[in-house]
Amino acid sequence: MPALAQEQPVPVQEQAVPAQEQPVLAQEKPAATQEQGVKADDGGAGKRGRITPFNGAAMPEGGTVAGKPGGKPGDPLEKKKAGDGTVPSQGVNVFDRMGAELPALPAEKPFAGKVDEAYGAFQRGYYLTAMDLALPRAQLGDPAAQTLVAEILQQGLGVVRNAKQAAFWYGQAAENGNPAAMFKYALILMEGRYVKRDRKKSEELMKKAADLGNASAQFNYGQTLVADSPGPKGLKAAMPYYEKSAEQGIADAQYALSQIYLNVDGIDDGKRARARGWLLRAAHAGYDTAQLDIAIWMIEGIAGERNLEDGFGWMKRAAEGGNVVAQNRLSHLYVNAIGTRPNPVEAAKWYVLSRRAGLKDDALEDFYLGLNEQQQKAALSAANKFRST
């Protein structure tokens, strides 16, 4: 075995956190498959968004005043003391506080928990060291160590990737009660590639992991409930799991929750009022479908007031991220000057990009053909230079 001092940390793009539970986004995001219109003139107050099946200031003391009787520009303000009957006491203002020493920070509490050296090595990129430390513990039945070994083997971190052995260790950790391993092993059982496919056991493990608080399991179990019972019944059954997952930051769950709150009958008005807020959280997390939808909601006034400028901004962000429908809709916004000034070259650029991706639009085609040759060339050049982020 190579000496541990020789090992260098190996940077990776994405590290799983097996010893402690870490949210893992769903394997596949809901696709934006329905074409959505952008209308700016009808108010859109009664419309609903799309649902997927799964888815000024006072001057400081010492300043000048020219407005008081007898005052001139440059005269100092007359100082008044709080409590003399002329002004009420307002406490210590920011100017009085400037330069004052801040109070000492409270003493840091010492860490009293058990240090996981294997996981610490994993976090620093010393994967061979992490494996050497975790494997003996895993063989003795430690579920956190078993999950760590499975993660290293699954991703091939410092060792040869071995998905079959990883599946074995995920299974062992799941049997020993690790929620993150339960979630991963449930996916493996559903796929049936490295172990015998067992949908019933997969769903049982997924529910158990969800009930133990694993955010990704909560979302995926919600998806299972919707798949088993399409329609309002399944969506309402899945809603509590989506809510727990959304609170933990899973963007897919935040998006699904926004759609359920707005579109499903019988939802509490208090929850319905939070639909746009959940959609915004998913959009801020970088979920391009949520960015597209929040743009449409803002432009049409769905689940809140209309805001053309912000709607345009979200549409542009989704388009720049590569969402083809958003690119098409952004072209319409430029043509009709909705939330922005008209810009025929930008409009044509985004139309060209969406057309190249296979999205046909006769109205935008007529607009493009009506441009002069110089404008068309500029639009094509801009489209050729574009690279989605």
Side-chain angles (χ1 to χ4, degrees), residues 181-194:
M182 290 178 188
F183 167 67
K184 290 291 189 73
Y185 196 58
L187 295 178
I188 293 171
L189 286 169
M190 183 61 72
E191 183 182 10
R193 185 174 179 183
Y194 301 107

Side-chain angles (χ1 to χ4, degrees), residues 62-148:
T64 62
V65 59
K68 69 175 185 178
K72 299 181 297 183
D75 284 349
L77 280 169
E78 182 182 353
K79 250 188 173 183
K80 296 180 181 180
K81 296 181 179 179
D84 62 1
T86 59
V87 292
S89 174
Q90 297 180 356
V92 181
N93 62 35
V94 68
F95 299 100
D96 296 324
R97 290 198 304 269
M98 290 177 67
E101 293 186 6
L102 294 173
L105 293 172
E108 185 177 351
K109 294 181 180 180
F111 177 71
K114 185 179 179 180
V115 176
D116 190 330
E117 294 181 355
Y119 181 65
F122 180 89
Q123 285 186 308
R124 296 193 301 273
Y126 293 99
Y127 303 119
L128 287 176
T129 300
M131 177 66 90
D132 288 340
L133 292 171
L135 188 57
R137 288 167 46 197
Q139 292 169 337
L140 292 174
D142 184 329
Q146 291 170 338
T147 307
L148 181 55

